[in-house]
Amino acid sequence: MTDQPQPPLQIAVVPVTAFQQNCSILWCTRTMQAAIVDPGGDVPLILGALKEIGVTPVAIWLTHGHLDHAGGATQLAETLSIPVIGPHEADKFLLDDLPSSGLRFDILDMKAVTPSRWLAEGDEVEVGDVAFLVLHVPGHTPGHVTFFQKDLRFLLAGDTVFAGSVGRTDFPYGSHETLIAGIRDKLLPLGDDVQFLPGHGPAGTLGEERANNPFLQG
């Protein structure tokens, strides 16, 4: 009996904040370097998970600027001395406004986020040996990005597409039409076999959403 080869990437999901946002820890199994995606809060919980897994965090990636995704980014970056990467610069106003956004939910210590690097369509980000393609998919927010790993057929979708739903667009800067167009034109063509992890709720496949998501029919 032979040992199964280790996959090049592993993922742990750490639900954070009252919004139960899927903060994810991605790590390259060869280098044990990790990226933390969308640390919206509960930073001690995330730090505990990193220690338990035994990885070396090298970066924070943000899909967009909402507080449940970005609210803990500055505290985590300062604690670990690692950079914040993303989202697209169109979400700068949301990242700048995080302290006042937090106050609306009685969170007194939320810090604004200044990324070390903004992301744009076609960029790549890497964790260890594993590279992800950046796709700019606005609509939920103007600067929302997703992260796609072609070889592993895996998408970090943020708040674009969910299992059976799509991201909210009832914000002054939201656009349902733009979001649906982005999902149809950029995400669904990645392939029905692609597994995705959304910002909230269970993972799914793009094929299932293409066939059955009520917002993507017609």
Side-chain angles (χ1 to χ4, degrees), residues 43-138:
V43 168
L45 195 65
I46 299 169
L47 291 170
L50 289 166
K51 185 175 181 180
E52 183 177 341
I53 298 165
V55 291
T56 301
V58 295
I60 294 165
W61 301 349
L62 297 181
T63 62
H64 64 291
H66 281 161
L67 82 166
D68 54 325
H69 292 254
T74 293
Q75 182 186 349
L76 188 64
E78 291 174 349
T79 301
L80 297 172
S81 298
I82 58 177
V84 177
I85 298 173
H88 186 283
E89 195 170 5
D91 269 13
K92 183 180 186 298
F93 74 104
L94 290 170
L95 297 176
D96 290 343
D97 194 49
L98 283 172
S100 57
S101 296
L103 289 176
R104 290 194 284 272
F105 293 92
D106 296 323
I107 304 169
L108 305 180
D109 56 353
M110 190 169 286
K111 295 182 177 181
V113 176
T114 303
S116 300
R117 174 187 168 195
W118 298 108
L119 295 173
E121 179 82 14
D123 283 350
E124 280 196 349
V125 290
E126 297 176 352
V127 55
D129 299 334
V130 184
F132 283 74
L133 174 68
V134 174
L135 298 168
H136 180 210
V137 186

Side-chain angles (χ1 to χ4, degrees), residues 24-28 33-37 50 56-61 126-127:
S24 55
I25 300 170
L26 316 176
W27 69 96
C28 166
Q33 291 183 345
I36 304 102
V37 183
L50 289 166
T56 301
V58 295
I60 294 165
W61 301 349
E126 297 176 352
V127 55

